[in-house]
Structures are given as C-alpha cells and as structure tokens.
C-alpha cells in the first residue's frame, strides 16, 4: 500500500523525457515536480505554462509508469516586497490552473517568512503576518475552487508563519475551503526540544488534521551539538519511519509519500528501507 515518490529536481535538469527516464530507473510510482527547478526553459515568472506543455510532461512521466503527485511551487505568500509577493501568487495560481493538465491535483507551498528568502524573522509570528498569510491562501483557494485543484500547505517549525499544529489548524479554519489541504512533513514539525516525543507528535498531527492530509514528505533528522539537522535521507537518522508508515497504512492507504534528500547513489537503499519498515 506504499505509494513512494521522488522529487524530480533532486535528479538534475533536462527535458521532460530526460527527467522522466532518469526517474524511471527506480522503483518509485510518483514524483513531486517543480517545473522551474527541473526544466531550464521554465522561469520563476508566470505566463509560461500551458495545457499543451503540461500534457507533454504528464505523458513523458506516464510512459515511465510515474504519476505526478504534487506540483511544487514554493513561494513566500507574505513576502515583504509586494511586487515579489504578487508575482509569486500569480505563479502559484497559474500552477493551480494547469495542474489537472499535468495529471495532478495538488500544488504545494510552505507558508513563508517576513524575510524574502523564508529564513527566520521574528515578525513572521505576529498576528498581522498570520492574517496576511490567511489572505494570500484564501486568494489561492478561490482559484483552486474554480479549477478543482488543491492548495497543499506545508508547515515548518521555528522559522515559518505556520510553525505549530495549532497555527495549521487556525489557517485551515479561517480560510475555510475544502480545496486547502495539508502536505505533512513530520520532521518539519519536530521542535528541537520535543524530538524525543516524535511518535506522540505524529499521533497528534493525525488526530488534529489527519483528515486534511493529502501528501507526505519523508526524510530524517539527528540532534548534533545541540542542533537539529533535519534534511537527511530517510533511514539515516532518528526518525521513526515504522511508526509513520503504520499510521499511513491504517489511516491514509496509498497516500503519495515523497522522499526528500535522495540521489542516484542512495535512492534504492532508501526505497528498500521504507518498504522494510512497512513489512
């Protein structure tokens, strides 16, 4: 029942057929695709996507037995520069408009910061910043509702606007749209001083908003020299993948589970490790 996928941009750039062929070597069934990261001819500005291009990409991956699970369009929805913020929102709306042409429903983003590069800024935690985020996501939800697609929201502890489960719940409640759902990355939500409670934290997430989770990100972490290092390949750290996979098998069978921090040298071992966890 595992539906394991890769991030296309972890395997370089090229044409849709070239990227699909690279990923087709591995026993993965789906992919998270960020067009601007994978295809050198697609820029960060809106206006380049079309149904024809989306169909070509969809068909290239389908020929390798791979579906497109999530379109990555990671913007800063509370960017301090209003021009950059507007460009990001328009680009995300364009991805929502054409997602179905890619054979995909979900377009994913994190929740941003008052630093343009999404690094920590104390003002990201203010009520004003949160309400600005709500306004941006509501705008994206309006587009998603028109085209039958999904805004996938990914939270990150500490430095992003949605940095706790409570903030995620509040965002979902205030935007109040069935077209806004959650991309859940457990490691993102483990605060440094709570990593020893990871099983309880995962259980809590599923209790609070498990019905809104539409995709999973899988990676690992370690605590070293008093710091959390949270961008490691699955199976190389302290993450309890057995616990996560047991939750998925019971509550979310077949959910797209995208592996982070993979590469041609480690991907087969990571896929094997997760399948062993499922057994």
């Amino acid at each position: 029942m595992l539906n394991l996928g890769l991030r296309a941009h972890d395997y370089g750039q090229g044409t849709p057929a070239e990227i699909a062929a690279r990923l087709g070597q591995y026993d993965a069934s789906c992919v998270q695709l960020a067009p601007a990261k994978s295809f050198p001819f697609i820029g960060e500005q809106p206006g380049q996507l079309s149904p024809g291009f989306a169909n070509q990409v969809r068909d290239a991956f389908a020929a390798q037995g791979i579906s497109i699970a999530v379109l990555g369009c990671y913007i800063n929805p509370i960017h301090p520069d209003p021009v950059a913020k507007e460009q990001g929102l328009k680009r995300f709306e364009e991805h929502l408009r054409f997602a179905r042409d890619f054979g995909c429903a979900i377009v994913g983003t994190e929740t941003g910061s008052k630093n343009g590069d999404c690094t920590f800024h104390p003002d990201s935690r203010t009520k004003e910043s949160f309400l600005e985020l709500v306004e941006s996501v509501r705008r994206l939800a309006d587009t998603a509702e028109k085209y039958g697609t999904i805004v996938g929201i990914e939270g990150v502890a500490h430095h992003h606007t949605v940095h706790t489960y409570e903030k995620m719940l509040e965002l979902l409640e205030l935007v109040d749209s069935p077209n806004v759902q959650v991309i859940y990355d457990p490691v993102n939500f483990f605060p440094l001083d709570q990593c020893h409670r990871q099983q309880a934290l995962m259980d809590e997430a599923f209790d609070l908003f498990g019905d809104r989770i539409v995709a999973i990100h899988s990676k690992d972490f370690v605590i070293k020299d008093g710091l959390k290092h949270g961008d490691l390949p699955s199976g190389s750290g302290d993450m309890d993948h057995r616990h996560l996979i047991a939750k998925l098998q019971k509550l979310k069978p077949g959910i797209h589970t995208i592996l982070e921090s993979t590469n041609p040298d480690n991907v087969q071992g990571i896929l094997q490790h997760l399948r062993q966890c499922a057994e």
Side-chain angles (χ1 to χ4, degrees):
M1 298 298 290
L2 279 184
N3 190 0
L4 299 179
L6 307 174
R7 297 188 309 191
H9 63 269
D10 289 329
Y11 296 83
Q13 292 189 319
T15 66
E18 289 169 343
I19 300 297
R22 286 175 206 162
L23 297 175
Q25 303 175 66
Y26 311 114
D27 187 21
S29 56
C30 60
V31 66
Q32 177 163 316
L33 176 69
K37 291 184 178 181
S38 288
F39 308 130
F41 43 84
I42 298 293
E44 295 286 343
Q45 71 278 6
Q48 290 185 279
L49 300 186
S50 68
F53 173 69
N55 289 171
Q56 288 180 347
V57 175
R58 176 200 63 199
D59 293 347
F61 280 91
Q64 299 291 337
I66 298 171
S67 65
I68 299 174
V70 178
L71 286 182
C73 185
Y74 281 57
I75 64 171
N76 186 345
I78 61 165
H79 200 294
D81 179 349
V83 174
K85 174 184 169 183
E86 179 65 19
Q87 177 173 300
L89 290 170
K90 285 183 176 177
R91 190 162 69 92
F92 199 99
E93 288 172 322
E94 181 180 59
H95 281 64
L96 288 169
R97 190 175 305 120
F98 298 118
R100 291 292 183 182
D101 297 301
F102 284 93
C104 176
I106 306 165
V107 184
T109 185
E110 292 171 344
T111 60
S113 161
K114 276 300 171 183
N115 276 335
D117 61 359
C118 290
T119 54
F120 175 75
H121 191 295
D123 289 350
S124 303
R125 296 193 175 189
T126 64
K127 181 178 181 180
E128 291 76 14
S129 292
F130 183 75
L131 292 178
E132 182 182 356
L133 173 67
V134 170
E135 182 182 14
S136 290
V137 176
R138 178 67 258 177
R139 169 178 164 177
L140 299 178
D142 289 343
T143 300
E145 289 167 6
K146 290 178 184 177
Y147 294 98
T149 49
I150 293 170
V151 180
I153 299 294
E154 182 178 354
V156 182
H158 180 59
H159 61 282
H160 283 196
T161 313
V162 170
H163 56 280
T164 65
Y165 292 163
E166 290 74 23
K167 283 296 181 186
M168 180 67 81
L169 272 179
E170 188 177 0
L171 176 67
L172 294 172
E173 290 169 359
L174 289 177
V175 175
D176 191 24
S177 170
N179 295 70
V180 176
Q181 303 287 321
V182 178
I183 297 174
Y184 180 50
D185 184 327
V187 172
N188 277 0
F189 271 118
F190 296 161
L192 175 62
D193 61 350
Q194 295 290 309
C195 289
H196 63 286
R197 297 184 58 248
Q198 60 168 298
Q199 294 86 357
L201 289 170
M202 285 187 268
D203 292 346
E204 184 180 353
F206 281 92
D207 288 342
L208 290 173
F209 50 80
D211 59 325
R212 305 293 292 273
I213 295 173
V214 292
I216 299 291
H217 281 174
S218 176
K219 60 188 176 192
D220 224 310
F221 75 96
V222 295
I223 305 297
K224 184 177 181 181
D225 299 327
L227 298 174
K228 173 187 163 189
H229 301 269
D231 292 308
L232 303 178
S234 296
S236 65
D238 298 325
M239 171 68 185
D240 189 347
H241 287 94
R242 291 184 187 277
H243 188 82
L244 173 62
I245 289 172
K247 300 290 291 187
L248 299 181
Q249 290 177 317
K250 180 180 179 180
L251 300 174
K252 292 283 180 177
I255 191 170
H256 292 123
T257 302
I258 307 298
L259 311 184
E260 297 192 8
S261 301
T262 70
N263 59 57
D265 295 327
N266 67 18
V267 60
Q268 295 287 32
I270 296 169
L271 290 167
Q272 182 179 1
H273 169 71
L274 293 178
R275 292 197 168 94
Q276 289 173 344
C277 288
E279 295 171 2

